[in-house]
Amino acid sequence: MVSTIAQEAPPRRGLLLSMGSLLLCLFLAAVDQTVVATATPTIVGELNGLENVSWLVTAFSLTSGIVAPLYGKLSDMYGRRRLYLSAIGLFLAGSALCGLAQTMAQLIAFRAFQGIGAGGLMVLTLAISADIATPRERAKFQGVFGAVIGVAAVLGPVIGGYLTEHVSWRWIFYINLPLGAVALAVAFAVLRLPRRTSPHRIDWPGAALISGVLTCLTLFASWGGTTYAWTSPVVVGLGLGAVVLAGLFVLVERRAKEPVLPLGLFRDRTLTIATATIVLMATGMVGAATFLPLYLQLAAGASASNSGLLLLPLMAGMIVASAVAGRVVTRLGTYKWVVVTGAALATVAAFLFSTMGLGTGAVTSGLYMVLFGVGLGMVLQNLMLAVQVSAPAADRGAATSVVSFARNVGGAVGVAVLGGVFSGRLGQAALASGVAGAVPESVRPAFAEAVTGVFAWVTPVMLVGVVLLACLPNVRLHRDA
């Protein structure tokens, strides 16, 4: 039985220009999540502060994740246009300050400030796209949005390395200014959205608690197995803190008149399944983006710059599949079996990654990457589409923020757990082969085994996602609503 969801047709003036502005802002915000990776050694050499270097990434991720639910709820209450323009302004101001930083402490603080704007861009670009396009049109645009997120994840370190090597690390932040200014001007000129004037009350206790949950989770993922042992009181305390704060958050949200994250949304089976699946798929995606370059560099012997280029098959697969899947969903008027098929393909690719070794050629690994990219491209943004068409229009921003939050949790916590798997497998493989402490060339087999061991864990994680998606309601998109 296929149900039908219809919504009031949104404004259409300046649709393509508006979408262009949204895509550019989404790209800039997504790139800045990973752009500092290859610039870090140069930054540390100039500003010192090696002991705090992990906070270059953590500060940005923490603040962008904290503000995501707030942006979603506030946009549902006040309207999205002004918040979107404000988020662009905050992001650009933070970028300029990062480029001007003279100490590591300043750069970390400015990265946190930049993350406040980036969190708004990640949520509001997706929510606004749902406001200005009909569900069937939205399927096409969401495919492009998915491609942009995937490309940004892979290109971030490449762009950061190139600008750092050929210009200056400061330009990984300055480059946002002219591009962001174009997006801001276009949005100001053509973006027209419905204004909301309904009575409202900001749920500050809920916002504080969800911020505490994400803070604990981020620090748990960032420090566990690196700064502190997984069994240390600090890491265990952070894990318990996240659980306790999450429980308090649920209690507070049940009593709040206007919760920052309406728990009633989770009564909808589509949103619940999509959120859980995105956590799992994000774990696989970030795991691949993190550990495939390690495999290519440390096991296959590629240079740092070449390892980025060798990920192009994954990027190409994601781009093409995102665009094509969006059109297929538009033509079929339903997305369920598209996302199920995509998740299955990505799971097969994860299994194939687990079979790689030193003898695996570039062509073979490239084909595996294409398959993985195609699978993810069919899934991620179509799940966002599923959430947006099933959520009430008044809660669309909050529903979008749930998906963004799930992606952050899957990426941060998932990659931390996989990092622990990698470290454990690497130590075991090195000891078993008698090369612990040996020169890099001698430990290449150990690195290969450690990375493939990570994907042996990723495979069942993603398989659970396939099973969940098979239970997704089969919603038919209304052509004109």
Side-chain angles (χ1 to χ4, degrees):
M1 185 79 177
V2 178
S3 58
T4 300
I5 289 181
Q7 294 169 310
E8 183 180 352
R12 298 179 55 82
R13 181 183 300 176
L15 177 62
L16 294 179
L17 283 175
S18 296
M19 284 295 184
S21 169
L22 297 174
L23 287 167
L24 180 55
C25 285
L26 181 64
F27 178 79
L28 294 177
V31 161
D32 269 70
Q33 290 181 320
T34 58
V35 73
V36 298
T38 46
T40 296
T42 303
I43 293 173
V44 170
E46 183 174 329
L47 302 182
N48 299 316
L50 178 61
E51 66 279 5
N52 296 318
V53 70
S54 65
W55 283 94
L56 287 178
V57 176
T58 303
F60 183 92
S61 300
L62 184 59
T63 54
S64 61
I66 286 173
V67 300
L70 278 173
Y71 272 109
K73 181 60 179 177
L74 290 173
S75 72
D76 285 335
M77 296 191 317
Y78 293 106
R80 305 193 220 286
R81 185 176 186 272
R82 290 184 179 180
L83 276 175
Y84 175 61
L85 297 176
S86 299
I88 297 175
L90 290 172
F91 178 75
L92 295 182
S95 298
L97 290 171
C98 286
L100 294 170
Q102 298 301 309
T103 67
M104 184 65 77
Q106 288 180 2
L107 182 57
I108 291 170
F110 296 151
R111 280 283 284 170
F113 182 76
Q114 186 191 31
I116 295 174
L121 295 181
M122 293 292 287
V123 171
L124 294 176
T125 52
L126 298 173
I128 290 171
S129 71
D131 287 339
I132 64 177
T134 64
R136 287 208 174 188
E137 289 175 324
R138 201 179 304 154
K140 292 185 290 187
F141 286 118
Q142 290 286 13
V144 179
F145 275 65
V148 166
I149 292 175
V151 168
V154 178
L155 278 186
V158 177
I159 293 172
Y162 180 85
L163 290 175
T164 299
E165 181 178 352
H166 296 284
V167 188
S168 165
W169 65 265
R170 297 180 185 275
W171 275 93
I172 68 177
F173 303 111
Y174 288 150
I175 194 67
N176 293 331
L177 301 181
L179 298 176
V182 171
L184 180 62
V186 171
F188 186 82
V190 304
L191 188 62
R192 298 291 182 267
L193 298 171
R195 299 188 64 168
R196 294 177 171 84
T197 57
S198 59
H200 52 266
R201 178 180 297 176
I202 299 177
D203 175 25
W204 292 116
L209 286 169
I210 195 65
S211 299
V213 172
L214 188 55
T215 299
C216 289
L217 284 175
T218 302
L219 294 178
F220 176 87
S222 178
W223 288 349
T226 54
T227 305
Y228 302 97
W230 285 109
T231 55
S232 70
V234 173
V235 174
V236 172
L238 287 169
L240 291 175
V243 173
V244 171
L245 291 174
L248 291 174
F249 173 75
V250 171
L251 293 176
V252 168
E253 295 302 273
R254 283 180 174 175
R255 291 177 170 84
K257 291 185 177 180
E258 293 191 43
V260 67
L261 193 63
L263 298 181
L265 290 173
F266 290 95
R267 297 191 188 99
D268 182 81
R269 191 154 56 103
T270 295
L271 184 137
T272 303
I273 291 175
T275 301
T277 304
I278 284 173
V279 171
L280 302 175
M281 292 296 159
T283 298
M285 181 178 72
V286 177
T290 302
F291 293 103
L292 284 179
L294 281 179
Y295 172 83
L296 294 170
Q297 291 180 50
L298 302 176
S303 67
S305 57
N306 284 340
S307 68
L309 295 176
L310 289 173
L311 290 177
L312 287 176
L314 192 156
M315 188 193 314
M318 185 174 289
I319 293 172
V320 173
S322 294
V324 172
R327 293 186 176 277
V328 170
V329 169
T330 300
R331 183 174 294 274
L332 294 178
T334 184
Y335 47 75
K336 176 177 178 176
W337 296 110
V338 173
V339 297
V340 171
T341 302
L345 292 176
T347 303
V348 171
F351 170 75
L352 293 174
F353 287 147
S354 72
T355 67
M356 295 191 303
L358 292 180
T360 304
V363 173
T364 301
S365 62
L367 290 174
Y368 296 168
M369 290 183 207
V370 170
L371 184 63
F372 192 76
V374 167
L376 289 179
M378 295 172 67
V379 174
L380 293 178
Q381 289 311 111
N382 280 319
L383 284 181
M384 176 66 79
L385 171 69
V387 168
Q388 290 178 335
V389 299
S390 64
D395 290 328
R396 191 176 290 151
T400 302
S401 71
V402 169
V403 176
S404 296
F405 185 81
R407 187 182 290 119
N408 287 339
V409 170
V413 178
V415 79
V417 174
L418 295 179
V421 173
F422 173 79
S423 298
R425 292 292 293 262
L426 179 61
Q428 294 173 4
L431 288 174
S433 58
V435 296
V439 296
E441 184 66 26
S442 302
V443 298
R444 284 177 59 194
F447 274 111
E449 185 174 341
V451 172
T452 55
V454 166
F455 288 103
W457 280 73
V458 168
T459 301
V461 168
M462 299 187 73
L463 183 60
V464 173
V466 178
V467 174
L468 287 175
L469 290 178
C471 302
L472 195 69
N474 193 18
V475 174
R476 181 164 295 280
L477 305 177
H478 194 280
R479 181 175 297 276
D480 300 316

